[in-house]
Amino acid sequence: MSQPPLQGVISYPVTPFDPDTGDLDLAALDRLTHELVAAGSHAVAPLGSTGESAYLREVEWDAVCETTLQAVGGRVPTLVGVSHWSTEGTVRRARVAARHGATAIMVLPQVYWKLTEDELRQHFATVAGAVDLPVMLYNNPGTSGVDLLPETVVALARGIPNLTMVKESSGDVARFRAIPELSEGTLSVYNGNNPVALEAFRSGAVGWCTAAPCLVPRWCLDLYEAARHDERERADALLAELLPFLRFIVGHGLPRAVKAGREIQRRGLGRPRPPLQPLPDGETRRLRELLARLDAPSAADGAAGPTPNGV
């Protein structure tokens, strides 16, 4: 397998909105992007579901793409989520991402009608053929309603030379071995299900796609390094501390939970965009407790060293 263009902790920024007007806050996005790079993220991935891309007007989508890639400034690779309900819209977004210097693009089958395998193949082939960039297929049955099994993923990738990566968010750890094996090493696999991060690395995932660094970057990077160096005791201790937080942000919706966490940390990024609503008070109190626990000295410190959450 050739060296994949992305690996390690791939950080997903939320999209900030002005707390008064609800408009895009591009200055806050610029600051957040700089924070994620300075914290040690191995790549930055705007405009996924965490970035509320489904709720952006096209002019807003373009502005978020441009602002984020300019803020990264080539310091780390970038992965832009270009998904749209239509093939035409996805192609347009892919070309905008390419024009602004994206390293790679990510495509989720964002559907209303269930697509046939032929329709999925045509969609991915058309998008991939519109740009000269590596393409990541995104399997997220929880948000798309479509679960692409390893055999289907490999079949889709045949005949699409630049479809070389798969973000697997089903939570089925066996797929991190199955996809590279079935594709004879042509597909690299990335974990998009936060709670199984450590199992995924141990099963062959080359990267972790996560919004958690918006709140606790050091913990995420420490876990990756421990997994990469096969420091099993240290990695297990880190995950034990981090797991309640990871389960919480996934279970309560990433845009809601991350934005609530940033408010708790006094680094607010505005409210989610309707129909999403801010995290309710009870859940916000629980998140405050989880973040306080990660800020405090912990059982993981002895094995992992200090794990500051700031950037």
Side-chain angles (χ1 to χ4, degrees), residues 114-138:
K114 186 180 172 95
L115 300 180
T116 67
E117 189 167 320
D118 283 343
E119 289 169 334
L120 286 166
R121 183 183 298 107
Q122 184 63 45
H123 177 68
F124 282 107
T126 302
V127 175
V131 293
D132 186 22
L133 292 175
V135 176
M136 178 184 287
L137 183 154
Y138 181 14

Side-chain angles (χ1 to χ4, degrees), residues 246-270:
L246 294 177
R247 287 175 172 159
F248 181 95
I249 62 173
V250 172
H252 290 84
L254 292 168
R256 299 186 198 94
V258 171
K259 287 186 172 178
R262 294 284 298 200
E263 287 291 336
I264 290 167
Q265 295 176 339
R266 299 175 186 251
R267 299 185 294 157
L269 296 171

